[in-house]
Structures are given as structure tokens and as C-alpha cells.
Amino acid sequence: MAKINYLISGLPGTGKTSVCAELQARGYKAIDADRAFGYQDNNDWLWKEEKIEKALNTSETIFICGSASNRDAYIPRFKKVFILHVDDQTLKHRLLNRTSNNFGKDPDILAKQVARNQGVKEYSIKRGRVVIDATQPIEKVVDDILSQLN
């Protein structure tokens, strides 16, 4: 197993990819899970088991940035789980205006994501996750994550 594994997760549009890029820019080993081992299977977004296992079994500290329907199977492998959270207006704005992909631009999908955002913060806290205010500038979001590693 890696020295320490950290998961940075959240709903689409909360900033997981941006956090990953900022961590990499600061010299940390961070993996964008969507690009590295994510795939669409019927209606679910999943992580390929062999690929995430390989990532989790490296000998260095890593940050996995992403989410998938099978994410919870891997939660015990992480020292800490950080959940990026934004308010509904920010979520709508980000999903409608991002250029990296079209997920969330469809009105029905957008409505489902906003509905999923309800209670995320409270639910995450109850499950022992560290909730991060991802409405802040990305540098501050990453500073907040790094300040809570120990």
C-alpha cells in the first residue's frame, strides 16, 4: 500500500480536476481518477479495479482526485477523504460553463446534480469526511486540504 492515500472527491463541477492540477503543480503525486481509471458502464461511472489497485499500491503518498459509483469499496484504503463542496449557484454555474466536458449541461442532468448537492455537506461530515469549501480560489482550497493532512 502507498505510504498514505488521500481521496479528494465531490460532485461533478466541485473542482476535483483543478485541485489535482494544483497539487501536481506543487510537486505532489496526484492522479485525476476520471482520466486515469474512470469509465462509463451502462448508467454508472466506475473506476477500473486493476488500475486503481495499482495506484493505491505504489510506495509513495498519493492523492486520488475523483469520484465513481464504486468509490466506497476503496474508502478504507484512504487515510482521509476530502469532499469538495459548493453551493447550488456555484455548482450550476460551473457545470453550465465548463469547457472540459458537457456533463451537467443537459437541464435534466443539471437538476439531478443540484438535487444531489442537497445534504452533501451534512452527510459527509456524519461519515467522517473532511468537507472543503470549494467556492474559494483553487490555491486556498488546496491550502485547506494540505493543512489537514496530519
Side-chain angles (χ1 to χ4, degrees):
M1 186 141 129
K3 286 183 191 171
I4 302 173
N5 299 317
Y6 296 106
L7 176 62
I8 299 169
S9 197
L11 291 175
T14 56
K16 299 177 298 292
T17 299
S18 297
V19 165
C20 186
E22 179 67 16
L23 285 165
Q24 291 169 344
R26 294 185 188 196
Y28 291 93
K29 173 75 173 176
I31 298 172
D32 181 335
D34 284 351
R35 291 188 178 118
F37 34 80
Y39 72 99
Q40 187 72 37
D41 179 31
N42 298 323
N43 293 324
D44 292 323
W45 183 255
L46 301 169
W47 288 339
K48 289 185 180 181
E49 184 175 340
E50 66 279 356
K51 289 187 175 184
I52 189 163
E53 284 294 335
K54 182 177 178 183
L56 292 173
N57 287 317
T58 64
S59 61
E60 56 192 321
T61 297
I62 60 167
F63 293 86
I64 302 290
C65 305
S67 191
S69 296
N70 60 343
R71 174 192 77 176
D72 285 352
Y74 301 98
I75 294 293
R77 308 277 298 278
F78 294 97
K79 180 175 181 179
K80 280 194 180 177
V81 177
F82 297 93
I83 302 296
L84 303 180
H85 182 263
V86 297
D87 58 86
D88 292 346
Q89 278 305 110
T90 301
L91 184 66
K92 287 179 192 176
H93 176 78
R94 288 183 182 178
L95 290 175
L96 290 172
N97 293 291
R98 67 182 176 174
T99 57
S100 59
N101 67 62
N102 289 324
F103 184 83
K105 294 184 188 299
D106 176 271
D108 291 335
I109 293 174
L110 179 62
K112 286 178 185 174
Q113 293 307 308
V114 171
R116 288 182 67 204
N117 200 39
Q118 305 308 305
V120 163
K121 185 175 181 178
E122 295 77 15
Y123 178 77
S124 298
I125 291 169
K126 285 180 186 175
R127 296 190 72 194
R129 314 302 190 237
V130 179
V131 178
I132 301 292
D133 176 4
T135 62
Q136 306 172 89
I138 196 65
E139 297 82 9
K140 176 77 170 96
V141 171
V142 172
D143 287 346
D144 285 354
I145 291 168
L146 295 175
S147 74
Q148 298 187 51
L149 294 186
N150 297 324

Coordinates of all heavy atoms in Angstrom, one line a residue, residues 37-127:
F37 N -8.4 6.1 -14.6 CA -9.0 4.8 -14.5 C -10.6 4.9 -14.5 O -11.2 3.9 -14.1 CB -8.5 4.0 -13.3 CG -8.2 4.8 -12.1 CD1 -9.1 5.2 -11.2 CD2 -6.8 5.0 -11.8 CE1 -8.7 5.9 -10.0 CE2 -6.5 5.7 -10.7 CZ -7.4 6.1 -9.8
G38 N -11.2 6.0 -14.9 CA -12.6 6.1 -15.0 C -13.2 5.6 -16.3 O -12.5 5.7 -17.3
Y39 N -14.4 5.0 -16.2 CA -15.0 4.6 -17.5 C -16.5 4.5 -17.2 O -17.0 4.3 -16.1 CB -14.5 3.2 -18.0 CG -14.9 2.0 -17.1 CD1 -16.0 1.2 -17.5 CD2 -14.3 1.7 -15.9 CE1 -16.4 0.1 -16.7 CE2 -14.6 0.6 -15.2 CZ -15.7 -0.2 -15.6 OH -16.0 -1.2 -14.8
Q40 N -17.3 4.6 -18.3 CA -18.8 4.6 -18.2 C -19.2 3.2 -18.5 O -18.8 2.6 -19.5 CB -19.4 5.5 -19.3 CG -20.9 5.7 -19.2 CD -21.3 6.5 -18.0 OE1 -20.6 7.5 -17.6 NE2 -22.4 6.1 -17.4
D41 N -20.0 2.6 -17.6 CA -20.6 1.3 -17.7 C -22.1 1.4 -17.6 O -22.6 1.6 -16.4 CB -20.0 0.3 -16.7 CG -20.5 -1.1 -16.8 OD1 -20.9 -1.5 -17.9 OD2 -20.6 -1.7 -15.7
N42 N -22.8 1.2 -18.6 CA -24.3 1.4 -18.6 C -24.6 2.8 -18.0 O -24.2 3.8 -18.6 CB -25.0 0.3 -17.8 CG -24.8 -1.0 -18.5 OD1 -24.8 -1.1 -19.7 ND2 -24.6 -2.0 -17.6
N43 N -25.2 2.9 -16.9 CA -25.5 4.3 -16.3 C -24.6 4.7 -15.2 O -24.7 5.8 -14.6 CB -26.9 4.2 -15.7 CG -28.0 4.1 -16.8 OD1 -27.9 4.6 -17.9 ND2 -29.0 3.3 -16.5
D44 N -23.5 3.9 -15.0 CA -22.6 4.2 -13.9 C -21.2 4.7 -14.4 O -20.7 4.1 -15.4 CB -22.4 3.0 -13.0 CG -23.7 2.7 -12.2 OD1 -24.4 3.6 -11.7 OD2 -23.9 1.5 -12.0
W45 N -20.6 5.6 -13.6 CA -19.2 6.0 -13.8 C -18.5 5.2 -12.8 O -18.7 5.2 -11.6 CB -19.0 7.5 -13.6 CG -17.6 7.9 -13.9 CD1 -16.7 8.2 -13.0 CD2 -17.0 8.0 -15.2 NE1 -15.5 8.6 -13.6 CE2 -15.7 8.4 -14.9 CE3 -17.4 7.8 -16.5 CZ2 -14.8 8.7 -16.0 CZ3 -16.5 8.1 -17.5 CH2 -15.2 8.5 -17.2
L46 N -17.5 4.4 -13.3 CA -16.8 3.5 -12.4 C -15.3 3.7 -12.5 O -14.8 4.2 -13.5 CB -17.1 2.0 -12.8 CG -18.6 1.6 -12.7 CD1 -18.8 0.3 -13.3 CD2 -19.0 1.6 -11.2
W47 N -14.5 3.1 -11.5 CA -13.1 3.0 -11.6 C -12.7 1.6 -12.0 O -13.2 0.7 -11.4 CB -12.5 3.4 -10.2 CG -12.5 4.8 -9.9 CD1 -12.7 5.9 -10.7 CD2 -12.4 5.4 -8.6 NE1 -12.7 7.0 -10.0 CE2 -12.6 6.8 -8.7 CE3 -12.2 4.8 -7.3 CZ2 -12.5 7.6 -7.6 CZ3 -12.2 5.6 -6.2 CH2 -12.3 7.0 -6.4
K48 N -11.8 1.5 -12.9 CA -11.3 0.1 -13.3 C -10.5 -0.4 -12.1 O -9.5 0.2 -11.7 CB -10.4 0.2 -14.6 CG -11.2 0.5 -15.8 CD -10.4 0.4 -17.0 CE -11.3 0.7 -18.2 NZ -10.6 0.6 -19.5
E49 N -10.9 -1.6 -11.6 CA -10.3 -2.1 -10.4 C -8.8 -2.3 -10.5 O -8.1 -1.9 -9.6 CB -11.0 -3.5 -10.1 CG -10.5 -4.1 -8.8 CD -11.2 -5.4 -8.5 OE1 -12.3 -5.6 -9.0 OE2 -10.7 -6.1 -7.7
E50 N -8.3 -2.9 -11.6 CA -6.9 -3.1 -11.7 C -6.1 -1.8 -11.7 O -4.9 -1.8 -11.2 CB -6.5 -4.0 -12.9 CG -6.8 -3.4 -14.3 CD -8.3 -3.4 -14.7 OE1 -9.1 -4.0 -14.0 OE2 -8.5 -2.9 -15.8
K51 N -6.6 -0.8 -12.3 CA -5.9 0.5 -12.4 C -5.9 1.2 -11.0 O -4.8 1.8 -10.6 CB -6.5 1.4 -13.5 CG -6.2 0.8 -14.9 CD -6.6 1.8 -15.9 CE -6.2 1.3 -17.3 NZ -6.5 2.2 -18.4
I52 N -7.0 1.3 -10.3 CA -7.0 1.9 -9.0 C -6.1 1.1 -8.0 O -5.4 1.7 -7.2 CB -8.4 2.3 -8.5 CG1 -8.2 3.2 -7.2 CG2 -9.2 1.0 -8.2 CD1 -9.4 3.9 -6.8
E53 N -6.2 -0.2 -8.1 CA -5.4 -1.0 -7.2 C -3.9 -0.7 -7.4 O -3.1 -0.6 -6.5 CB -5.6 -2.5 -7.5 CG -6.9 -3.0 -6.9 CD -7.0 -3.0 -5.4 OE1 -5.9 -3.0 -4.7 OE2 -8.1 -2.9 -4.8
K54 N -3.5 -0.6 -8.7 CA -2.1 -0.3 -9.0 C -1.7 1.1 -8.4 O -0.6 1.2 -7.8 CB -1.8 -0.3 -10.5 CG -0.4 0.0 -10.9 CD -0.2 -0.1 -12.4 CE 1.2 0.2 -12.7 NZ 1.4 0.2 -14.2
A55 N -2.6 2.0 -8.5 CA -2.3 3.4 -8.0 C -2.2 3.4 -6.4 O -1.3 4.0 -5.9 CB -3.4 4.4 -8.4
L56 N -3.1 2.6 -5.8 CA -3.2 2.6 -4.4 C -2.0 1.8 -3.8 O -1.7 1.9 -2.6 CB -4.5 2.0 -3.9 CG -5.7 2.8 -4.1 CD1 -7.0 2.1 -3.8 CD2 -5.6 4.2 -3.4
N57 N -1.4 0.9 -4.6 CA -0.3 0.1 -4.1 C 1.1 0.6 -4.4 O 2.1 -0.1 -4.2 CB -0.5 -1.3 -4.6 CG -1.6 -2.0 -3.9 OD1 -1.8 -2.0 -2.7 ND2 -2.4 -2.7 -4.7
T58 N 1.2 1.9 -4.8 CA 2.5 2.5 -5.0 C 3.2 2.7 -3.7 O 2.5 2.7 -2.6 CB 2.4 3.8 -5.8 OG1 1.7 4.7 -5.0 CG2 1.8 3.6 -7.2
S59 N 4.5 3.0 -3.7 CA 5.2 3.2 -2.4 C 5.3 4.6 -2.0 O 5.9 5.0 -1.1 CB 6.6 2.6 -2.6 OG 7.3 3.3 -3.6
E60 N 4.6 5.5 -2.7 CA 4.6 6.9 -2.4 C 3.2 7.4 -2.0 O 2.2 6.9 -2.3 CB 5.2 7.7 -3.5 CG 4.4 7.5 -4.8 CD 5.1 8.1 -6.0 OE1 5.7 9.2 -5.9 OE2 5.0 7.5 -7.1
T61 N 3.2 8.5 -1.2 CA 2.0 9.2 -0.9 C 1.3 9.7 -2.1 O 2.0 10.4 -2.9 CB 2.3 10.3 0.1 OG1 2.9 9.8 1.3 CG2 1.0 11.1 0.5
I62 N 0.0 9.4 -2.2 CA -0.7 9.9 -3.4 C -2.1 10.5 -3.0 O -2.6 10.2 -2.0 CB -1.0 8.8 -4.4 CG1 -1.8 7.6 -3.8 CG2 0.3 8.3 -5.0 CD1 -2.3 6.7 -4.9
F63 N -2.5 11.4 -3.9 CA -3.9 11.9 -3.8 C -4.6 11.4 -5.0 O -4.2 11.6 -6.2 CB -3.8 13.5 -3.9 CG -3.2 14.1 -2.7 CD1 -1.8 14.3 -2.7 CD2 -3.9 14.6 -1.7 CE1 -1.2 15.0 -1.6 CE2 -3.4 15.3 -0.6 CZ -2.0 15.4 -0.6
I64 N -5.7 10.8 -4.8 CA -6.6 10.4 -5.9 C -7.7 11.4 -5.9 O -8.4 11.6 -4.9 CB -7.2 9.0 -5.6 CG1 -6.1 7.9 -5.5 CG2 -8.2 8.6 -6.7 CD1 -5.4 7.6 -6.7
C65 N -7.9 12.0 -7.1 CA -8.9 13.1 -7.2 C -10.0 12.6 -8.2 O -9.8 12.5 -9.4 CB -8.3 14.3 -7.8 SG -6.9 14.9 -6.8
G66 N -11.2 12.3 -7.6 CA -12.3 11.9 -8.4 C -13.4 11.2 -7.7 O -13.3 11.1 -6.4
S67 N -14.3 10.7 -8.4 CA -15.5 10.0 -7.8 C -16.0 9.0 -8.8 O -15.8 9.2 -10.0 CB -16.6 11.0 -7.4 OG -17.5 10.3 -6.6
A68 N -16.6 8.0 -8.3 CA -17.2 6.9 -9.1 C -18.2 6.2 -8.3 O -18.2 6.2 -7.1 CB -16.1 6.0 -9.6
S69 N -19.1 5.5 -9.0 CA -20.1 4.7 -8.3 C -19.6 3.6 -7.4 O -20.2 3.2 -6.4 CB -21.1 4.1 -9.3 OG -21.8 5.1 -10.0
N70 N -18.4 3.1 -7.7 CA -17.7 2.1 -6.9 C -16.7 2.6 -5.9 O -15.9 1.9 -5.4 CB -17.2 1.0 -7.8 CG -16.1 1.4 -8.7 OD1 -16.0 2.6 -9.0 ND2 -15.3 0.5 -9.3
R71 N -16.7 3.9 -5.7 CA -15.7 4.6 -4.9 C -15.7 4.0 -3.4 O -14.7 3.8 -2.8 CB -16.0 6.1 -4.9 CG -15.2 6.9 -3.9 CD -15.7 8.3 -3.7 NE -16.9 8.2 -2.8 CZ -17.5 9.3 -2.4 NH1 -17.2 10.5 -2.8 NH2 -18.6 9.2 -1.6
D72 N -16.9 3.8 -2.9 CA -17.0 3.4 -1.5 C -16.2 2.1 -1.2 O -15.8 1.9 -0.1 CB -18.4 3.3 -1.0 CG -19.0 4.7 -0.8 OD1 -18.3 5.7 -0.9 OD2 -20.3 4.7 -0.6
A73 N -16.1 1.2 -2.2 CA -15.3 0.0 -2.0 C -13.8 0.3 -1.6 O -13.2 -0.6 -1.0 CB -15.4 -0.9 -3.2
Y74 N -13.3 1.5 -2.0 CA -11.9 1.8 -1.8 C -11.7 2.7 -0.6 O -10.6 3.0 -0.2 CB -11.4 2.4 -3.0 CG -11.5 1.5 -4.2 CD1 -12.5 1.6 -5.1 CD2 -10.6 0.4 -4.3 CE1 -12.6 0.7 -6.2 CE2 -10.7 -0.5 -5.4 CZ -11.7 -0.4 -6.3 OH -11.8 -1.3 -7.3
I75 N -12.8 3.3 0.0 CA -12.7 4.2 1.1 C -11.8 3.7 2.2 O -11.0 4.5 2.7 CB -14.1 4.6 1.6 CG1 -14.9 5.4 0.6 CG2 -14.0 5.4 2.9 CD1 -14.4 6.7 0.2
P76 N -11.8 2.5 2.6 CA -10.9 2.0 3.7 C -9.4 2.2 3.4 O -8.6 2.1 4.3 CB -11.3 0.6 3.9 CG -12.7 0.5 3.4 CD -12.8 1.4 2.3
R77 N -9.1 2.3 2.2 CA -7.7 2.4 1.7 C -7.1 3.8 1.8 O -6.0 4.0 1.6 CB -7.6 1.9 0.3 CG -8.2 0.6 0.0 CD -7.3 -0.6 0.4 NE -6.1 -0.6 -0.4 CZ -5.9 -1.1 -1.6 NH1 -7.0 -1.7 -2.2 NH2 -4.8 -1.1 -2.2
F78 N -8.0 4.8 2.2 CA -7.6 6.2 2.3 C -7.5 6.6 3.8 O -8.3 6.3 4.6 CB -8.5 7.1 1.6 CG -8.6 6.9 0.1 CD1 -9.5 6.0 -0.5 CD2 -7.6 7.4 -0.7 CE1 -9.6 5.8 -1.9 CE2 -7.6 7.2 -2.1 CZ -8.6 6.4 -2.7
K79 N -6.4 7.3 4.1 CA -6.2 7.9 5.4 C -7.3 8.9 5.7 O -7.8 9.0 6.8 CB -4.8 8.5 5.6 CG -4.6 9.0 7.0 CD -3.2 9.5 7.2 CE -3.1 10.0 8.6 NZ -1.7 10.4 8.9
K80 N -7.5 9.8 4.7 CA -8.5 10.8 4.8 C -9.2 11.0 3.5 O -8.7 10.8 2.4 CB -7.9 12.2 5.2 CG -7.6 12.3 6.6 CD -7.3 13.8 7.0 CE -7.0 13.9 8.5 NZ -6.7 15.2 8.9
V81 N -10.5 11.3 3.6 CA -11.3 11.6 2.4 C -11.8 13.0 2.5 O -12.4 13.4 3.5 CB -12.6 10.7 2.4 CG1 -13.4 11.0 1.2 CG2 -12.1 9.2 2.3
F82 N -11.5 13.8 1.5 CA -11.9 15.2 1.4 C -13.0 15.3 0.4 O -12.9 14.8 -0.7 CB -10.7 16.1 1.0 CG -9.5 16.1 1.9 CD1 -8.5 15.2 1.8 CD2 -9.5 17.0 3.0 CE1 -7.4 15.2 2.7 CE2 -8.4 17.0 3.9 CZ -7.4 16.1 3.7
I83 N -14.1 16.0 0.8 CA -15.2 16.2 0.0 C -15.3 17.7 -0.4 O -15.4 18.5 0.5 CB -16.5 15.8 0.6 CG1 -16.5 14.3 1.0 CG2 -17.7 16.1 -0.3 CD1 -16.4 13.3 -0.1
L84 N -15.1 18.0 -1.7 CA -15.2 19.3 -2.2 C -16.7 19.7 -2.2 O -17.5 18.9 -2.8 CB -14.6 19.5 -3.5 CG -13.1 19.1 -3.6 CD1 -12.6 19.3 -5.0 CD2 -12.3 19.9 -2.6
H85 N -17.1 20.8 -1.7 CA -18.5 21.2 -1.7 C -18.6 22.7 -2.1 O -17.8 23.5 -1.8 CB -19.1 21.1 -0.2 CG -20.5 21.4 -0.2 ND1 -21.0 22.6 0.2 CD2 -21.6 20.6 -0.4 CE1 -22.3 22.6 0.2 NE2 -22.7 21.4 -0.2
V86 N -19.7 22.9 -2.9 CA -20.0 24.2 -3.4 C -21.5 24.4 -3.2 O -22.3 23.5 -3.1 CB -19.6 24.5 -4.8 CG1 -18.1 24.4 -5.0 CG2 -20.4 23.5 -5.8
D87 N -22.0 25.7 -3.1 CA -23.4 26.0 -3.1 C -24.0 25.7 -4.4 O -23.4 25.5 -5.4 CB -23.6 27.4 -2.6 CG -23.0 28.4 -3.6 OD1 -23.6 28.7 -4.6 OD2 -21.8 28.8 -3.4
D88 N -25.4 25.6 -4.4 CA -26.1 25.3 -5.7 C -25.8 26.2 -6.8 O -25.7 25.8 -8.0 CB -27.6 25.3 -5.4 CG -28.0 24.1 -4.5 OD1 -27.2 23.2 -4.2 OD2 -29.2 24.2 -4.0
Q89 N -25.7 27.5 -6.5 CA -25.5 28.5 -7.6 C -24.1 28.3 -8.3 O -24.0 28.3 -9.5 CB -25.6 30.0 -7.1 CG -27.0 30.5 -7.0 CD -27.7 30.4 -8.3 OE1 -28.7 29.6 -8.5 NE2 -27.4 31.2 -9.3
T90 N -23.1 28.1 -7.4 CA -21.8 27.8 -7.9 C -21.8 26.5 -8.8 O -21.2 26.5 -9.8 CB -20.8 27.7 -6.8 OG1 -20.8 29.0 -6.1 CG2 -19.4 27.5 -7.3
L91 N -22.4 25.5 -8.3 CA -22.5 24.2 -9.0 C -23.1 24.4 -10.3 O -22.6 24.0 -11.4 CB -23.3 23.2 -8.2 CG -23.3 21.8 -8.7 CD1 -21.9 21.1 -8.8 CD2 -24.3 20.9 -8.0
K92 N -24.2 25.1 -10.4 CA -24.9 25.3 -11.7 C -24.0 26.1 -12.6 O -23.8 25.7 -13.8 CB -26.2 26.2 -11.5 CG -27.3 25.4 -10.9 CD -28.5 26.3 -10.7 CE -29.6 25.7 -9.8 NZ -30.7 26.7 -9.6
H93 N -23.4 27.2 -12.1 CA -22.5 28.0 -12.9 C -21.4 27.2 -13.5 O -21.1 27.2 -14.7 CB -22.0 29.2 -12.1 CG -21.0 30.0 -12.9 ND1 -21.4 30.9 -13.8 CD2 -19.6 30.0 -12.9 CE1 -20.3 31.5 -14.4 NE2 -19.2 31.0 -13.8
R94 N -20.7 26.4 -12.7 CA -19.6 25.6 -13.1 C -20.0 24.5 -14.1 O -19.3 24.3 -15.1 CB -18.9 24.9 -11.9 CG -18.1 25.9 -11.1 CD -17.4 25.2 -10.0 NE -16.7 26.2 -9.1 CZ -16.0 25.8 -8.1 NH1 -15.9 24.5 -7.7 NH2 -15.4 26.7 -7.3
L95 N -21.0 23.8 -13.9 CA -21.5 22.8 -14.8 C -21.9 23.4 -16.2 O -21.5 22.8 -17.2 CB -22.6 21.9 -14.2 CG -22.2 21.0 -13.1 CD1 -23.4 20.3 -12.5 CD2 -21.2 20.0 -13.5
L96 N -22.6 24.5 -16.1 CA -23.0 25.1 -17.4 C -21.9 25.8 -18.2 O -22.0 25.9 -19.4 CB -24.1 26.1 -17.1 CG -25.5 25.5 -16.7 CD1 -26.4 26.6 -16.2 CD2 -26.1 24.7 -17.8
N97 N -20.8 26.2 -17.5 CA -19.8 27.0 -18.2 C -18.5 26.3 -18.4 O -17.6 26.8 -19.0 CB -19.6 28.3 -17.4 CG -20.8 29.2 -17.5 OD1 -21.1 29.7 -18.6 ND2 -21.5 29.3 -16.4
R98 N -18.3 25.0 -17.9 CA -17.0 24.4 -18.0 C -16.8 23.9 -19.5 O -17.8 23.7 -20.2 CB -16.9 23.2 -17.0 CG -17.8 22.0 -17.3 CD -17.5 21.0 -16.2 NE -18.3 19.9 -16.2 CZ -18.2 18.8 -15.5 NH1 -17.2 18.8 -14.6 NH2 -19.1 17.8 -15.6
T99 N -15.6 23.9 -19.8 CA -15.2 23.5 -21.2 C -14.6 22.1 -21.3 O -14.3 21.7 -22.4 CB -14.3 24.6 -21.8 OG1 -13.1 24.7 -21.0 CG2 -15.0 25.9 -21.9
S100 N -14.3 21.5 -20.2 CA -13.6 20.2 -20.2 C -14.5 19.1 -20.7 O -14.0 18.1 -21.2 CB -13.0 19.9 -18.9 OG -14.0 19.9 -17.9
N101 N -15.8 19.2 -20.4 CA -16.8 18.2 -20.9 C -18.2 18.8 -20.8 O -18.4 19.8 -20.2 CB -16.6 16.8 -20.1 CG -17.0 16.9 -18.7 OD1 -18.2 17.2 -18.4 ND2 -16.1 16.7 -17.8
N102 N -19.1 18.1 -21.3 CA -20.5 18.6 -21.4 C -21.4 18.0 -20.3 O -22.6 18.4 -20.3 CB -21.1 18.2 -22.7 CG -20.5 19.1 -23.9 OD1 -20.2 20.2 -23.6 ND2 -20.4 18.5 -25.0
F103 N -20.9 17.2 -19.4 CA -21.7 16.7 -18.3 C -22.3 17.8 -17.5 O -21.6 18.6 -17.0 CB -20.9 15.7 -17.4 CG -21.8 15.0 -16.4 CD1 -22.6 13.9 -16.8 CD2 -21.9 15.5 -15.1 CE1 -23.4 13.3 -15.8 CE2 -22.8 14.9 -14.2 CZ -23.5 13.8 -14.6
G104 N -23.6 17.7 -17.3 CA -24.3 18.7 -16.5 C -25.0 19.8 -17.3 O -25.7 20.6 -16.7
K105 N -24.7 19.9 -18.6 CA -25.3 21.0 -19.4 C -26.7 20.7 -19.8 O -27.5 21.6 -20.0 CB -24.4 21.2 -20.6 CG -23.1 21.8 -20.3 CD -22.3 22.1 -21.5 CE -20.9 22.5 -21.2 NZ -20.7 23.7 -20.4
D106 N -27.1 19.4 -19.8 CA -28.4 19.0 -20.1 C -29.3 19.4 -18.9 O -28.9 19.1 -17.7 CB -28.5 17.5 -20.3 CG -29.9 17.0 -20.4 OD1 -30.5 16.6 -19.4 OD2 -30.4 16.9 -21.6
P107 N -30.4 20.0 -19.1 CA -31.3 20.5 -18.0 C -31.7 19.4 -17.0 O -31.7 19.7 -15.8 CB -32.5 21.1 -18.6 CG -32.0 21.5 -20.0 CD -31.0 20.4 -20.4
D108 N -32.0 18.2 -17.4 CA -32.4 17.1 -16.5 C -31.2 16.7 -15.7 O -31.3 16.5 -14.5 CB -32.9 15.9 -17.3 CG -34.3 16.2 -18.0 OD1 -35.0 17.1 -17.5 OD2 -34.6 15.6 -19.0
I109 N -30.0 16.6 -16.3 CA -28.8 16.2 -15.5 C -28.4 17.3 -14.6 O -28.1 17.0 -13.4 CB -27.7 15.8 -16.5 CG1 -28.0 14.5 -17.3 CG2 -26.4 15.6 -15.7 CD1 -27.0 14.1 -18.3
L110 N -28.5 18.5 -15.0 CA -28.2 19.6 -14.1 C -29.1 19.6 -12.9 O -28.6 19.7 -11.7 CB -28.3 20.9 -14.9 CG -28.0 22.2 -14.0 CD1 -26.6 22.2 -13.5 CD2 -28.3 23.4 -14.9
A111 N -30.4 19.4 -13.1 CA -31.3 19.3 -12.0 C -31.0 18.2 -11.0 O -31.1 18.3 -9.8 CB -32.8 19.2 -12.5
K112 N -30.6 17.0 -11.6 CA -30.2 15.9 -10.7 C -29.0 16.2 -9.9 O -28.9 15.8 -8.7 CB -30.0 14.6 -11.6 CG -31.3 14.0 -12.1 CD -31.0 12.8 -13.0 CE -32.3 12.3 -13.6 NZ -32.0 11.2 -14.6
Q113 N -28.0 16.9 -10.5 CA -26.8 17.2 -9.7 C -27.1 18.2 -8.6 O -26.6 18.1 -7.5 CB -25.7 17.7 -10.7 CG -25.2 16.7 -11.7 CD -24.8 15.4 -11.0 OE1 -24.0 15.4 -10.0 NE2 -25.3 14.3 -11.4
V114 N -27.9 19.2 -8.9 CA -28.3 20.2 -7.9 C -29.1 19.4 -6.7 O -28.8 19.7 -5.6 CB -29.1 21.3 -8.5 CG1 -29.7 22.2 -7.4 CG2 -28.2 22.1 -9.4
A115 N -30.0 18.5 -7.1 CA -30.7 17.8 -6.1 C -29.7 16.9 -5.3 O -29.9 16.8 -4.0 CB -31.7 16.9 -6.8
R116 N -28.7 16.3 -5.9 CA -27.7 15.5 -5.2 C -26.9 16.4 -4.2 O -26.3 15.9 -3.2 CB -26.8 14.8 -6.2 CG -27.4 13.7 -6.9 CD -26.5 13.0 -7.9 NE -25.5 12.3 -7.1 CZ -24.3 12.0 -7.5 NH1 -23.9 12.3 -8.8 NH2 -23.4 11.3 -6.8
N117 N -26.8 17.7 -4.5 CA -26.0 18.6 -3.7 C -26.6 18.8 -2.4 O -26.0 19.2 -1.4 CB -25.7 19.9 -4.5 CG -24.6 20.7 -3.9 OD1 -23.5 20.1 -3.6 ND2 -24.7 22.0 -3.9
Q118 N -27.9 18.6 -2.3 CA -28.7 18.8 -1.0 C -28.2 17.8 0.0 O -28.3 16.7 -0.2 CB -30.2 18.7 -1.3 CG -30.7 19.6 -2.4 CD -30.3 21.0 -2.2 OE1 -30.5 21.7 -1.2 NE2 -29.7 21.6 -3.2
G119 N -27.7 18.3 1.1 CA -27.3 17.5 2.2 C -26.0 16.8 2.1 O -25.6 16.1 3.0
V120 N -25.2 17.1 1.0 CA -23.9 16.5 0.9 C -23.0 16.9 2.0 O -22.3 16.0 2.6 CB -23.3 16.9 -0.5 CG1 -21.8 16.6 -0.5 CG2 -24.0 16.2 -1.6
K121 N -23.0 18.1 2.4 CA -22.1 18.5 3.5 C -22.4 17.8 4.8 O -21.5 17.2 5.4 CB -22.2 20.0 3.7 CG -21.3 20.6 4.6 CD -21.5 22.2 4.7 CE -20.5 22.8 5.6 NZ -20.6 24.3 5.6
E122 N -23.6 17.8 5.2 CA -24.0 17.1 6.5 C -23.8 15.6 6.4 O -23.3 15.0 7.3 CB -25.5 17.4 6.8 CG -25.8 18.9 7.0 CD -25.9 19.7 5.8 OE1 -26.0 19.2 4.7 OE2 -25.8 21.0 5.9
Y123 N -24.1 15.0 5.3 CA -23.9 13.6 5.1 C -22.5 13.2 5.2 O -22.1 12.2 5.8 CB -24.5 13.1 3.7 CG -24.3 11.7 3.4 CD1 -25.1 10.7 4.0 CD2 -23.4 11.3 2.5 CE1 -25.0 9.4 3.7 CE2 -23.2 10.0 2.1 CZ -24.0 9.0 2.8 OH -23.8 7.7 2.4
S124 N -21.6 14.0 4.5 CA -20.2 13.8 4.5 C -19.6 13.9 5.9 O -18.8 13.1 6.3 CB -19.5 14.7 3.5 OG -20.0 14.5 2.2
I125 N -20.0 14.9 6.6 CA -19.5 15.1 8.0 C -19.9 13.9 8.9 O -19.0 13.4 9.6 CB -20.0 16.4 8.6 CG1 -19.3 17.6 7.8 CG2 -19.7 16.5 10.1 CD1 -19.9 18.9 8.1
K126 N -21.1 13.4 8.8 CA -21.6 12.3 9.5 C -20.7 11.0 9.2 O -20.6 10.2 10.1 CB -23.0 12.0 9.3 CG -24.0 12.9 9.9 CD -25.4 12.6 9.6 CE -26.3 13.6 10.2 NZ -27.7 13.4 9.8
R127 N -20.2 10.9 8.0 CA -19.4 9.8 7.6 C -17.9 9.9 7.9 O -17.1 9.1 7.5 CB -19.7 9.5 6.1 CG -21.1 9.1 5.9 CD -21.4 8.5 4.6 NE -20.9 7.2 4.5 CZ -20.7 6.6 3.3 NH1 -21.1 7.1 2.2 NH2 -20.2 5.4 3.3

